[in-house]
């Protein structure tokens, strides 16, 4: 039993008109949304290559002295890689207000890549 999917028409009310359709046209049907405090963030899954790079970055960080700082930076990097809405500038501002959000998103992106349940990101369709 999985989490309920976010219906695309529910998201349309939170996004500028036609934005969701444009995102689906540009990035395909496999999009995931995070809705928090009236803000919508939309992500695509990481590609196989991106996921491998993220795992390599995390393995490298695990062997270093600054693990917590490194893993945060890695989480933020791959959240930005997968972000399709809003633009990177707006996402940067959101991270200023909620810096832990990048960790949450990167963990969910890893879960999606592993075909596991995600905590926060919900499939749009």
């Amino acid at each position: 039993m999985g989490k309920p999917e976010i219906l695309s028409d529910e998201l349309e009310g939170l996004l500028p008109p036609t934005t969701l359709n444009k995102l689906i046209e540009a990035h395909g049907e496999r999009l995931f949304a995070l809705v928090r405090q009236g803000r919508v963030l939309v992500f695509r899954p990481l590609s196989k290559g991106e996921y491998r790079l993220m795992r390599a970055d995390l393995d490298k960080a695990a062997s270093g002295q600054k693990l917590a700082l490194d893993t945060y930076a890695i989480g933020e990097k791959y959240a930005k890689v997968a972000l399709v809405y809003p633009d990177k500038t707006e996402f940067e501002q959101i991270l200023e207000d909620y810096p832990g959000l990048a960790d949450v998103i990167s963990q969910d992106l890893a879960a999606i890549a592993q075909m596991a349940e995600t905590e926060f990101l919900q499939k749009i369709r």
Side-chain angles (χ1 to χ4, degrees):
M1 172 183 260
K3 291 170 68 173
E5 294 179 0
I6 296 175
L7 300 177
S8 56
D9 54 347
E10 291 174 11
L11 279 180
E12 276 292 354
L14 298 172
L15 296 170
T18 71
T19 298
L20 185 58
N21 288 336
K22 288 179 183 175
L23 291 173
I24 290 170
E25 285 176 23
H27 303 284
E29 292 277 334
R30 289 187 63 219
L31 295 178
F32 298 84
L34 173 65
V35 180
R36 289 276 179 90
Q37 298 182 3
R39 290 181 168 164
V40 179
L41 304 172
V42 181
F43 300 88
R44 63 169 177 76
L46 294 173
S47 70
K48 183 177 179 181
E50 290 164 344
Y51 180 73
R52 284 182 175 182
L53 288 173
M54 183 176 81
R55 292 299 323 153
D57 287 347
L58 289 169
D59 289 346
K60 182 178 176 185
S63 67
Q65 297 293 319
K66 305 176 295 176
L67 180 60
L69 288 175
D70 288 344
T71 56
Y72 177 81
I74 292 164
E76 184 175 331
K77 173 183 175 180
Y78 288 95
K80 289 176 184 174
V81 164
L83 179 74
V84 298
Y85 181 87
D87 64 26
K88 305 277 191 250
T89 304
E90 188 174 339
F91 187 58
E92 286 285 347
Q93 184 55 54
I94 293 169
L95 291 179
E96 286 295 322
D97 296 338
Y98 306 98
L101 194 57
D103 287 331
V104 169
I105 294 164
S106 66
Q107 290 170 13
D108 276 3
L109 289 170
I112 288 166
Q114 298 162 5
M115 291 181 66
E117 290 291 322
T118 63
E119 185 73 23
F120 298 106
L121 296 182
Q122 294 184 15
K123 192 171 181 185
I124 289 175
R125 290 189 175 168

